[in-house]
Amino acid sequence: MRKITAGLFISLDGVVADPHTWHFPYFNDEMAAAVVGDVQNSDTFLFGRITYEGFAEAWPAREDAGMAKDFGDGRKVVVSRRALDFTWRNSEQLQGDFVAGVKALKAEDSDKNIAVTGSVSVVRGLLAAGLLDELRLLVHPIVLGRGLRLFEDGAGPFPLKLVQAQTFTTGVMDLLYAPADVPDASNRK
């Protein structure tokens, strides 16, 4: 079964909204390697409609090389309740029920991952359904004070275990999590 990985830029106070307005001062070669690695290990990209529309506006014109070409060559599956018209090649809409559609994607024959970039509503849905295999949070050393947060009040619990951690020279923490079992409270002293 294929693995679904998600990657998000996030502030110390959990804000994931509009990273283009606060993220770039922290972007460096270390972060580029982490992001590009996630993209290159995937052949399918799962997007929410809003993130897809932003990417479809920005990336196709840059497809001559690098990550933009990887995005263009990859299959792009968009989650939306409304019918969509696609202008970016290799794009399609997830058909039917979200959970059933994602399970069908995971069951496809491929040795490459399915990547979710941004698309907070999709990440939330995957966590709630127990379908997310890895969550990479690139935690930026900034408090924004307002904006869309990854976890809404009342969401969860979503037990996670830290698989990998690295601090970039900019102070950004690259944290990779995987699902975990809920710890047994009876074993605490």
Side-chain angles (χ1 to χ4, degrees):
M1 184 160 290
R2 301 177 75 186
K3 185 165 55 170
I4 298 181
T5 65
L8 295 165
F9 300 136
I10 188 167
S11 68
L12 283 176
D13 56 342
V15 174
V16 291
D18 301 319
H20 63 280
T21 64
W22 51 267
H23 153 76
F24 285 110
Y26 302 97
F27 195 84
N28 66 2
D29 290 342
E30 296 164 306
M31 189 182 297
V35 172
V36 169
D38 287 345
V39 170
Q40 289 177 339
N41 289 327
S42 305
D43 64 2
T44 301
F45 302 97
L46 189 59
F47 289 105
R49 179 188 55 80
I50 294 169
T51 302
Y52 173 82
E53 288 174 350
F55 275 50
E57 186 176 311
W59 288 104
R62 305 175 186 161
E63 281 191 25
D64 54 341
M67 191 166 72
K69 182 169 181 353
D70 293 332
F71 275 134
D73 290 344
R75 177 182 179 197
K76 291 163 285 298
V77 181
V78 184
V79 177
S80 179
R81 290 187 184 98
R82 65 171 94 154
L84 302 173
D85 292 320
F86 296 106
T87 57
W88 196 8
R89 63 191 177 100
N90 302 322
S91 298
E92 64 190 78
Q93 189 162 353
L94 184 73
Q95 298 299 313
D97 175 72
F98 173 75
V99 172
V102 170
K103 285 181 177 179
L105 287 173
K106 283 184 71 120
E108 291 176 349
D109 186 26
S110 176
D111 60 349
K112 294 272 196 163
N113 296 336
I114 300 166
V116 182
T117 302
S119 303
V120 176
S121 63
V122 173
V123 173
R124 288 175 175 168
L126 293 168
L127 282 166
L131 294 171
L132 189 63
D133 298 293
E134 288 183 350
L135 176 61
R136 178 183 303 277
L137 298 177
L138 293 162
V139 183
H140 290 58
I142 186 170
V143 174
L144 297 170
R146 66 173 178 254
L148 177 70
R149 286 175 166 64
L150 175 55
F151 301 108
E152 297 176 296
D153 287 345
F158 305 117
L160 301 169
K161 62 183 173 190
L162 184 63
V163 175
Q164 174 186 320
Q166 179 182 3
T167 304
F168 299 150
T169 56
T170 59
V172 170
M173 294 283 302
D174 177 7
L175 306 175
L176 184 63
Y177 291 94
D181 294 328
V182 177
D184 183 357
S186 65
N187 290 333
R188 294 190 184 147
K189 295 182 183 184

